[in-house]
Amino acid sequence: QVQLVESGGGVAQAGGSLRLSCVASGRASDTYAVAWFRQAPGKEREFVAAIDWGGEGTHYADSVKDRFTISRDKDKNAVLMQMSNLTLEDTAHYYCATPYIPKWYPGPDWNYYDRWGQGTQVTVSS
């Protein structure tokens, strides 16, 4: 079965950095687009960033543009998200997800993603 496992979360001070990893099993991650979403207490699930299948293009929410960078580590069948200059607003549970159709980027709508990891917690302190 397809499985996604996130890691790399933790506690960081405002202005600091963290790198999240999403490792896929059951299918090659570069055959599917991969997106990161986050959800903070009392808030709706929010699109963060995504990378197209094959790594041809990247997409970012305005709130993280120029601070987060998404990339692929094909040797590890993983998608990485480097987060820099963290702010208190970045505190959330972060999930990676893939859509149900390969070689397709569906956009920021989470309804098009059928495989989700359990997530990793990111907490930013002042």
Side-chain angles (χ1 to χ4, degrees):
Q1 63 176 4
V2 178
Q3 182 176 344
L4 302 175
V5 179
E6 302 96 333
S7 64
V11 180
Q13 293 185 346
S17 300
L18 288 172
R19 185 171 67 180
L20 305 185
S21 174
C22 175
V23 178
S25 63
R27 62 186 178 186
S29 63
D30 63 351
T31 307
Y32 290 80
V34 176
W36 285 94
F37 295 84
R38 66 186 181 187
Q39 188 164 22
K43 296 184 178 180
E44 296 183 354
R45 191 176 306 174
E46 178 187 22
F47 171 80
V48 179
I51 188 165
D52 291 344
W53 67 272
E56 291 83 2
T58 58
H59 313 267
Y60 299 94
D62 289 341
S63 60
V64 305
K65 191 174 185 295
D66 299 325
R67 298 190 299 117
F68 292 9
T69 301
I70 190 169
S71 62
R72 291 187 184 273
D73 185 343
K74 295 185 177 181
D75 291 338
K76 298 181 179 179
N77 201 34
V79 170
L80 308 177
M81 186 166 69
Q82 178 70 38
M83 306 186 297
S84 300
N85 195 24
L86 289 166
T87 72
L88 297 179
E89 300 298 322
D90 296 319
T91 295
H93 205 70
Y94 284 71
Y95 303 86
C96 66
T98 62
Y100 55 86
I101 298 176
K103 300 182 178 180
W104 176 56
Y105 171 61
D109 189 346
W110 58 266
N111 290 287
Y112 291 101
Y113 297 83
D114 69 334
R115 292 290 184 267
W116 297 78
Q118 292 185 329
T120 185
Q121 179 67 34
V122 171
T123 301
V124 182
S125 62
S126 60

